[in-house]
Amino acid sequence: METISINTSHGGIQGVYRHDSAECRCPMTFAVFTPPQAADGPCPVLYYLSGLTCTHQNVMDKGEYRRAAAEHGVLIVCPDTSPRGNGIANDEAYDMGQGAGFYLDATADPWAKHFRMYSYVTRELPQLIEPNFFADMTRQSIFGHSMGGHGALTIALKNPDTYRSVSAFAPIVNPISVPWGQKAFPAYLGEDRALWRQHDAAALIEDGHRVEEILVDQGDKDQFLTEQLQPEALEAACTNAGIDLTLNMRPGYDHSYFFISTFMEDHIAWHAQRLKA
């Protein structure tokens, strides 16, 4: 593992690192904020999954998570959104290819060789975090934004014994029914719609997957709200399944990091309470 940068912030350490990924078959970069409490022992881990076009850098620069993470003693891990580099499949559009991994393991060519973000986030990255950082891997949670909110929800629903809590900012909750998913899923997964359902939060809940509770914040001025996000689909699925969903519709907020940074501390505090229970 190569250290790219180290900075002190709020008494903790913000680092950026690169390693050769076995899952993605290319170098992958990620960021970790280690809170000051790590000096006294291992800290719980909270993964943040970013949205379309983003890298680890967007939330690191704009997410404003370090003060709250330092206050609550939570280690924050921010992976990239896809494999990147020469020789890796890509698409000229922003919502396919590099920067748009959708947190799944692709099964269709040309994506299958490198686009294995589900296995990277759920298996390889935790195996890297555990021996190299002051992390308590018995206490893990996950959250994300937009495509990353989709990733956080689907990963938590499929691994309820691994993650103690899950939340999202403006998540894509029903990708099989919206343009982003209807474009990405056939490309990455082929035409097997049963496989698509395994990467759709609303469908997973309909098919019997469960978590105890979900926190979602959504801006009512989000430019993608009606066409791409449709939080009412998650609300209906959670109601039918008896999952405790807190859906906060935030007046005036859009899809940007101005929105995310406003409510970031609320989410970290919410996760910290469950990670320390």
Side-chain angles (χ1 to χ4, degrees), residues 11-12 22 52 57 115 118 135 140 155 160 177 190 231 265:
L52 288 165
Q57 192 81 35
F115 280 67
Y118 176 83
Q140 300 181 79
I155 285 170
S177 298
E265 293 193 2

Side-chain angles (χ1 to χ4, degrees), residues 102-261:
F102 275 85
Y103 302 100
L104 51 78
D105 287 346
T107 57
D109 292 330
W111 314 102
K113 181 178 179 181
H114 297 287
F115 280 67
R116 295 185 53 80
M117 290 303 296
Y118 176 83
S119 291
Y120 179 75
V121 169
T122 61
R123 292 202 295 266
E124 184 172 11
L125 189 57
Q127 290 171 2
L128 194 65
I129 296 299
E130 184 171 19
N132 289 291
F133 300 91
F134 298 100
D136 179 356
M137 304 308 285
T138 67
R139 296 184 291 161
Q140 300 181 79
S141 291
I142 193 166
F143 69 148
H145 168 235
S146 192
M147 179 186 71
H150 141 79
L153 291 170
T154 55
I155 285 170
L157 283 162
K158 290 197 284 186
N159 300 275
D161 295 331
T162 300
Y163 304 97
R164 292 198 180 185
S165 53
V166 58
S167 73
F169 303 98
I172 308 169
V173 302
N174 195 199
I176 61 176
S177 298
V178 303
W180 277 335
Q182 290 169 347
K183 177 180 179 179
F185 283 8
Y188 291 142
L189 302 172
E191 297 301 329
D192 183 356
R193 290 180 175 267
L195 189 55
W196 298 8
R197 293 183 67 84
Q198 295 176 26
H199 298 282
D200 181 299
L204 283 168
I205 293 170
E206 290 172 2
D207 293 343
H209 292 265
R210 297 288 183 269
V211 292
E212 289 188 8
E213 56 182 335
I214 298 171
L215 170 64
V216 170
D217 274 271
Q218 172 66 63
D220 72 354
K221 300 301 182 184
D222 192 314
Q223 60 270 40
F224 302 112
L225 177 59
T226 301
E227 183 179 31
Q228 302 281 16
L229 305 179
Q230 301 180 1
E232 62 274 9
L234 180 65
E235 189 171 33
C238 287
T239 297
N240 292 334
I243 295 174
D244 182 6
L245 170 66
T246 300
L247 174 58
N248 298 316
M249 295 299 298
R250 301 297 189 177
Y253 285 92
D254 58 16
H255 201 68
S256 71
Y257 269 92
F258 295 107
F259 157 63
I260 298 166
S261 63

Side-chain angles (χ1 to χ4, degrees), residues 26-41:
C26 68
M28 294 291 288
T29 302
F30 63 95
V32 177
F33 177 72
T34 303
Q37 292 86 341
D40 300 320

